[in-house]
Amino acid sequence: NAGVTQTPKFRVLKTGQSMTLLCAQDMNHEYMYWYRQDPGMGLRLIHYSVGEGTTAKGEVPDGYNVSRLKKQNFLLGLESAAPSQTSVYFCASSYAGGMNQPQHFGDGTRLSIL
Amino acid sequence: DQQVKQNSPSLSVQEGRISILNCDYTNSMFDYFLWYKKYPAEGPTFLISISSIKDKNEDGRFTVFLNKSAKHLSLHIVPSQPGDSAVYFCAAGIGGSNYKLTFGKGTLLTVNP
């Protein structure tokens, strides 16, 4: 019972490099989310999706792009990585967006930008 | 502007005693509140939630209290167990929705045997 799986778990990038973080869920959830967590901060929503083929901006979307081509996958892209994007990234999913349908989180991707 | 505040970065309690974690919010539009627990190197896991139409919700050892007039909620854990040691995040949503949540910074709870 995998739940939400994030790939990779760790990555070190140089400034200006690009990469894609992959999130996969096997719970047939409609909604998916990408958050970042910085030291001493709560989770901040980057982008989210309310269904296959849809994406929307969250609280801190600048510097990131996302795609939801398949219902079970939500990709987060960094086109030109910057040191300010060093963070732990969490993906989450939920059956829908209402109450009593809590978000289920992956274990995170620790990303360092040098 | 921090809309969800957890003013205690850490809390230490003895096993068997009550743990009380606090959360304040500033946005009066918030009407749905959740608590998540997070262990190191893992993602947050949902613990308990409460709608603004209630002032209390209970699930086993965990109870959440909501005081709308004070814009304050608290999580009570009774009795506390060493396995409860984790970071606890308070989160809030608008319009009865569970997405576009605003999270607090978290409180590290340590339960000592």
Side-chain angles (χ1 to χ4, degrees):
Chain A
N1 197 8
V4 178
T5 303
Q6 293 184 231
T7 310
K9 295 189 184 307
F10 305 94
R11 186 72 185 267
V12 178
L13 288 179
K14 293 181 179 179
T15 298
Q17 287 186 318
S18 63
M19 81 160 294
T20 300
L21 280 64
L22 172 65
C23 177
Q25 52 94 6
D26 62 1
M27 296 174 282
N28 201 33
H29 284 170
E30 288 294 332
Y31 286 51
M32 296 188 75
Y33 318 80
W34 276 107
Y35 291 90
R36 61 178 288 174
Q37 186 190 13
D38 300 301
M41 300 286 288
L43 283 78
R44 292 184 293 170
L45 184 63
I46 304 171
H47 286 280
Y48 65 100
S49 168
V50 300
E52 181 179 314
T54 75
T55 63
K57 294 180 179 180
E59 180 185 354
V60 288
D62 293 342
Y64 305 95
N65 56 75
V66 288
S67 64
R68 182 97 182 269
L69 299 180
K70 293 183 178 181
K71 184 177 182 178
Q72 64 267 33
N73 295 337
F74 196 28
L75 279 64
L76 178 70
L78 286 74
E79 290 188 347
S80 179
S84 61
Q85 294 177 305
T86 293
S87 189
V88 180
Y89 292 85
F90 289 100
C91 176
S93 70
S94 62
Y95 183 72
M99 293 188 287
N100 301 318
Q101 293 162 346
Q103 297 179 23
H104 298 258
F105 284 81
D107 287 340
T109 294
R110 185 174 297 274
L111 184 61
S112 294
I113 316 295
L114 303 179
Chain B
D1 178 28
Q2 201 179 345
Q3 298 187 61
V4 176
K5 302 177 184 179
Q6 294 179 256
N7 292 319
S8 298
S10 62
L11 175 68
S12 182
V13 300
Q14 287 299 120
E15 180 178 6
R17 304 295 291 270
I18 184 171
S19 295
I20 300 176
L21 295 98
N22 294 304
C23 179
D24 297 295
Y25 61 97
T26 58
N27 189 341
S28 58
M29 297 295 291
F30 288 143
D31 60 2
Y32 182 54
F33 304 90
L34 309 90
W35 286 93
Y36 278 84
K37 178 170 73 173
K38 183 184 180 305
Y39 293 118
E42 294 184 9
T45 55
F46 171 72
L47 196 56
I48 193 169
S49 63
I50 188 167
S51 158
S52 61
I53 63 173
K54 294 185 173 182
D55 54 19
K56 176 184 175 181
N57 190 25
E58 194 171 356
D59 184 1
R61 295 186 297 113
F62 303 91
T63 302
V64 56
F65 295 91
L66 175 62
N67 182 333
K68 289 187 291 293
S69 61
K71 295 190 176 66
H72 176 83
L73 64 154
S74 60
L75 175 68
H76 292 212
I77 306 174
V78 183
S80 300
Q81 299 174 353
D84 296 329
S85 297
V87 176
Y88 289 78
F89 291 101
C90 172
I94 294 175
S97 69
N98 174 45
Y99 66 106
K100 297 190 76 173
L101 296 176
T102 300
F103 283 80
K105 293 183 178 182
T107 296
L108 173 63
L109 173 66
T110 302
V111 181
N112 302 302

